Amino acid sequence: MKFETLAIIGVGLIGGSIGLAAKRRGVANRVIGAGRQRSTLDRAQALGAIDEGTLDHVEAAAQADLAVYCTPVDHIAGQILSAAPRCRPGSILTDAGSTKLAIVRAIEGRLPDGISFVGGHPLAGSEKRGSEYAHPDLFQGRVTVVTQTPATERAALERVAGFWRALGAKVRVMDPEEHDRSLAVTSHLPHLIAAALAGALSPELFELTAGGFRDTTRIAAGDPALWTGIFAQNGAAVLDALHAFTGRLAEFQKALEGGDLHALDRFLAQAKKVRDALGS
Amino acid sequence: MKFETLAIIGVGLIGGSIGLAAKRRGVANRVIGAGRQRSTLDRAQALGAIDEGTLDHVEAAAQADLAVYCTPVDHIAGQILSAAPRCRPGSILTDAGSTKLAIVRAIEGRLPDGISFVGGHPLAGSEKRGSEYAHPDLFQGRVTVVTQTPATERAALERVAGFWRALGAKVRVMDPEEHDRSLAVTSHLPHLIAAALAGALSPELFELTAGGFRDTTRIAAGDPALWTGIFAQNGAAVLDALHAFTGRLAEFQKALEGGDLHALDRFLAQAKKVRDALGS
């Protein structure tokens, strides 16, 4: 899998890691980064994540045979639709956004002939931001979801899947709805919970926290604007996941109020079984 | 701060770390470990956490000038009450349990003359179990709560506080109710939440989890029986903390249902502020 020119729109933790991995693994001859601040681009270039940087994301995509959008989920579709008319025939556009349905729906059927879009989402990253946290092995052995709908072009899907495999990722193809429903449970709900827990902590209790509280709330340090966009785009699935979660809390509450120690133990034992199966 | 003979009842992660720290820092001339399995004692002795081991916890306490109970919270008071009549005058008994009110109430007023009890709780540890995870610096710079009630003997409190300081801990003295109310928020509720989140994950979603889910649910791997005991002893405070937490979830839900992005952003930004202040 080889691309002549790879454009990365948004060179933060994910975009920077894509650049480092693509260059390290010889997946692209040339990597152009696009961003809104020259300092960000200079840092990414100094780190070796991109060969050159531009403040004009349309210009970057226009030069590329593959453009990967690593910008906030509420910017991706707009950026792609504005760049597509300038792209060369045969160009493929993809993204790394944490939601898929809203993005895919906004783009499908609105691209010029010869330009393809395939949605993507690498399940990697952290609460950290910026290319200074980028790593060429960030995707190694991790799942990247690539979306498929009836409108998805088979050849473009294969190219995008091959791109992620070349970066070390395990590719899972699924439809955007399934992605969003799944990620509501595995990512968006945990973020909401971590935020609800962290936000309620009064300062006098800070020193009475230990590793458990810190682990459980770590992702609440993520960027609020990014996450507001994710919640807004996946609201219905998040509300469903939240409903199921509060149902489980109510189940525990009932056992605790009733002094049903066997039920508490079963609840905790079942959770431990799942968590142990998940690995560290 | 120096003790002739230190008894550690329960030589797992916490008990083993106390032994390692006490020996490394010269806090005790001799450390006796008590446990229910010879293999556990042999391992702790091989690791250098104890000098000798016994299956008879009363015998261990009878030889000690300080005995520290690192057993499950629902065993501590019973073990202390059964050992106290055999202890030497001037002996001090303390514990490392995650709850304090039930334990302190069960013991106070029921000890022979000359035997003192002071409740304790080092805010350290993890979801791991066993002395193989013990570390001599586990308590370094971490808070240990030492409890004080109107019945607490001042001299014994000072000795126990001095013991923990000698192991590297920062000591906070508080009454058992305040401890339990605080830890319901900083430790017991997070455990419940992690368990509710982990337990609901269906196997087909395992591969769609990333670092966020793993961090948020890590403590759910803790021992179910230990935690059932903790929840049972601190039920009222946990239910209060749960009520406040579900109130915050409802607040988020309302904002999400209403499409109020500013409210979502405020919610997440406030959580980030707290989490950032807490440090890694």
Side-chain angles (χ1 to χ4, degrees):
Chain A
M1 182 59 54
K2 185 88 178 181
F3 294 90
E4 176 51 37
T5 301
L6 169 67
I8 300 172
I9 320 302
V11 285
L13 169 60
I14 297 292
S17 297
I18 290 172
L20 288 174
K23 288 170 61 68
R24 185 77 57 92
R25 293 161 184 259
V27 174
N29 283 338
R30 177 176 167 233
V31 179
I32 309 175
R36 291 192 299 187
Q37 294 186 319
R38 178 52 64 185
S39 59
T40 308
L41 297 169
D42 289 346
R43 191 169 52 224
Q45 192 171 345
L47 290 166
I50 59 176
D51 295 311
E52 54 195 280
T54 170
L55 297 171
D56 182 349
H57 73 85
V58 173
E59 182 54 32
Q63 296 181 51
D65 38 349
L66 178 70
V68 186
Y69 288 77
C70 305
T71 43
V73 292
D74 42 351
H75 295 184
I76 291 171
Q79 289 177 321
I80 286 178
L81 291 173
S82 68
R86 290 276 311 283
C87 290
R88 300 187 297 212
S91 297
I92 299 173
L93 309 176
T94 186
D95 75 313
S98 296
T99 60
K100 294 273 67 75
L101 187 57
I103 293 168
V104 171
R105 276 198 183 149
I107 294 169
E108 277 192 354
R110 299 177 64 189
L111 295 181
D113 283 348
I115 310 296
S116 309
F117 170 74
V118 178
H121 179 204
L123 306 189
S126 81
E127 74 285 1
K128 305 283 202 318
R129 295 185 70 195
S131 62
E132 60 269 41
Y133 297 106
H135 196 282
D137 292 327
L138 185 67
F139 311 109
Q140 181 61 48
R142 309 294 288 272
V143 167
T144 290
V145 174
V146 172
T147 65
Q148 183 171 34
T149 74
T152 304
E153 285 166 47
R154 179 110 206 140
L157 176 73
E158 289 305 327
R159 288 281 282 168
V160 170
F163 172 74
W164 283 107
R165 286 194 196 99
L167 302 191
K170 295 184 285 189
V171 169
R172 295 293 174 266
V173 177
M174 58 180 75
D175 66 55
E177 292 89 341
E178 185 189 355
H179 170 276
D180 282 13
R181 264 200 320 274
S182 301
L183 272 289
V185 174
T186 62
S187 171
H188 309 165
L189 176 65
H191 194 94
L192 157 55
I193 287 168
L197 197 52
L201 190 73
S202 51
E204 69 272 18
L205 293 183
F206 282 15
E207 68 168 11
L208 297 178
T209 61
F213 192 91
R214 284 152 202 263
D215 277 354
T216 311
T217 59
R218 182 160 297 115
I219 49 176
D223 183 60
L226 281 182
W227 278 93
T228 296
I230 291 168
F231 286 117
Q233 290 203 346
N234 200 24
V238 170
L239 288 169
D240 284 347
L242 178 58
H243 183 74
F245 174 73
T246 54
R248 285 185 62 81
L249 291 184
E251 188 189 314
F252 188 93
Q253 179 176 341
K254 190 179 157 198
L256 191 52
E257 285 171 344
D260 185 348
L261 302 194
H262 289 297
L264 295 181
D265 192 68
R266 273 198 308 276
F267 185 97
L268 297 172
Q270 193 258 335
K272 176 178 171 56
K273 193 176 161 191
V274 174
R275 189 58 188 82
D276 286 346
L278 208 52
S280 56
Chain B
M1 182 60 55
K2 185 87 178 180
F3 294 90
E4 177 51 36
T5 302
L6 170 67
I8 300 172
I9 321 301
V11 286
L13 170 60
I14 297 291
S17 296
I18 290 173
L20 288 174
K23 289 169 62 69
R24 185 77 57 93
R25 292 161 184 258
V27 174
N29 283 337
R30 177 176 165 231
V31 179
I32 309 176
R36 291 193 297 186
Q37 293 186 319
R38 177 54 62 185
S39 59
T40 309
L41 296 170
D42 289 346
R43 190 169 54 222
Q45 191 171 345
L47 291 166
I50 60 176
D51 296 311
E52 54 194 282
T54 170
L55 297 171
D56 182 349
H57 73 85
V58 174
E59 182 55 31
Q63 295 181 52
D65 39 348
L66 178 70
V68 187
Y69 288 77
C70 305
T71 43
V73 293
D74 42 352
H75 294 185
I76 291 171
Q79 290 177 320
I80 286 179
L81 291 173
S82 68
R86 290 277 310 284
C87 290
R88 299 185 300 211
S91 297
I92 300 174
L93 309 176
T94 187
D95 77 311
S98 295
T99 61
K100 294 273 66 75
L101 187 57
I103 292 169
V104 170
R105 276 197 182 150
I107 294 169
E108 276 193 353
R110 298 177 65 189
L111 295 180
D113 283 349
I115 310 297
S116 309
F117 171 73
V118 178
H121 179 203
L123 305 189
S126 81
E127 74 285 0
K128 305 285 203 316
R129 295 186 70 195
S131 61
E132 60 268 41
Y133 297 105
H135 196 283
D137 291 327
L138 185 67
F139 311 108
Q140 181 62 47
R142 310 292 288 274
V143 166
T144 290
V145 173
V146 172
T147 64
Q148 183 170 34
T149 74
T152 304
E153 286 166 45
R154 180 107 207 141
L157 175 73
E158 288 306 326
R159 289 279 283 169
V160 170
F163 172 74
W164 283 107
R165 287 194 195 99
L167 302 192
K170 296 185 284 188
V171 169
R172 295 293 175 267
V173 177
M174 59 180 73
D175 66 55
E177 291 89 341
E178 185 190 353
H179 170 276
D180 281 13
R181 265 198 320 273
S182 301
L183 271 290
V185 173
T186 62
S187 171
H188 309 166
L189 176 65
H191 194 95
L192 158 56
I193 287 167
L197 197 53
L201 189 72
S202 52
E204 69 272 19
L205 293 182
F206 282 16
E207 70 168 10
L208 297 179
T209 62
F213 192 90
R214 284 152 203 262
D215 277 354
T216 310
T217 59
R218 183 160 296 116
I219 50 176
D223 182 60
L226 281 181
W227 279 93
T228 295
I230 292 167
F231 285 118
Q233 290 203 346
N234 201 24
V238 169
L239 288 169
D240 284 347
L242 178 58
H243 183 74
F245 175 73
T246 54
R248 284 184 63 81
L249 291 183
E251 188 189 313
F252 188 93
Q253 180 176 343
K254 191 179 156 197
L256 191 52
E257 285 171 344
D260 185 347
L261 302 194
H262 289 296
L264 294 182
D265 192 69
R266 273 197 309 276
F267 185 97
L268 298 171
Q270 193 258 337
K272 176 177 171 56
K273 194 176 161 192
V274 173
R275 189 60 188 81
D276 285 347
L278 207 52
S280 57

